Amino acid sequence: MVDVKSTVNPLFLRDEELRQGIELLFYAYRDFTSDPDKILDDHGFGRAHHRAIHFINRNPGITVQELLAILRITKQSLSRVLGQLVREGYVIQQRGTRDRRQRHLHLTERGVELERLVSAPQRERVARAYREAGAEAVEGYRKVLLGLVNDADRAAIVRSIRRR
Amino acid sequence: MVDVKSTVNPLFLRDEELRQGIELLFYAYRDFTSDPDKILDDHGFGRAHHRAIHFINRNPGITVQELLAILRITKQSLSRVLGQLVREGYVIQQRGTRDRRQRHLHLTERGVELERLVSAPQRERVARAYREAGAEAVEGYRKVLLGLVNDADRAAIVRSIRRR
DNA sequence: GATTTTACGTCAACCATGTTGACATATATC
DNA sequence: GATATATGTCAACATGGTTGACGTAAAATC
């Protein structure tokens, strides 16, 4: 299934095939973000907070600069959500030792808890999709998604993933 | 590549594997939306307008209700962007004949042009990713993305894709 | 035929999250 | 010592979501 005559006549179907790929990404993203959104709301947070704590969780000690580069937002925009997270005890900032200008970000226990809580249904959703699609499909999923990323960032992402 | 020891010890790596899948989706979506955003800006439109004209283009004659169901936003929110698109001659509304309460949406020539212009780099990005990943990977990509969608919507999406 | 439901539109207020621009401070680097 | 970098903050603004209220026309139901 989901075959959709994708490989019949590559030239003729090209545009259609691409638009399907685009739509699927939209739909998946739409539903995949809906689970966390509800939980976040109960805590007075939004999607931006989730993104922040996700990447701080995944990269403990990440600097503000690095986080900005990942999220691709301005520091003013980040500082709003980060400020809330810090004030409410979900994130702590450690002044750098090698470079004392930097602030290294860490989740507190509370932060880790919240991150797990919020991302739980999202992980469950991915787990189900992976299970049902099979290992080979998962490999393809990753390959294509990585291919969609900007050339300039691909290497760094692969590295950040391999490191684990 | 992109192998990342994903199939070594499924139990131990489960969480890590899932979080990678989540991150990849974030990164891909981030970059994949960045191309259209720039072009839209030149025309005084935003991402919301792109979504609207994309789905109207893909489903000529779609009703407002149906479009709302796809986008998952309120009618007030849609009416803002739709109003602009209509006023500026990118979209026309046809009163339904069977049900005269409905408004069937269509792109004008201008609308079709804009849609193509805006989505061109996006399609090119997907085309490249598909080319580099290969047909088998593409199949996996679709399978997993479709699996991420809410159960309730999956069938309709498959149908809307098969119809072509 | 009267009542209720549905499809659509609109007004208004509000919120989350993005932007630009300006300016300040501490620290690192040349 | 001069310059560049990392961070923070203030302020104004844009986009695109939300809720709630209300109105109209048409369809569906009793």
Side-chain angles (χ1 to χ4, degrees), chain A residues 69-86:
Chain A
I70 288 175
L71 299 176
R72 293 256 214 284
I73 56 176
T74 58
K75 63 175 176 175
Q76 293 93 326
S77 202
L78 177 59
S79 93
R80 194 153 37 197
V81 300
L82 208 49
Q84 292 171 32
L85 290 167
V86 169

Side-chain angles (χ1 to χ4, degrees), chain A residues 81-135:
Chain A
V81 300
L82 208 49
Q84 292 171 32
L85 290 167
V86 169
R87 273 194 304 280
E88 301 183 30
Y90 295 95
V91 170
I92 51 166
Q93 300 167 297
Q94 277 183 349
R95 170 162 244 131
T97 49
R98 225 194 46 221
D99 184 337
R100 292 171 36 82
R101 290 171 305 180
Q102 297 180 332
R103 299 291 182 277
H104 296 275
L105 306 172
H106 299 268
L107 294 188
T108 62
E109 270 202 37
R110 233 185 135 191
V112 173
E113 244 175 71
L114 178 64
E115 199 289 325
R116 281 204 75 80
L117 179 69
V118 169
S119 66
Q122 196 167 58
R123 275 177 287 126
E124 183 43 45
R125 186 183 286 265
V126 174
R128 251 199 23 176
Y130 274 17
R131 234 182 287 127
E132 286 168 11

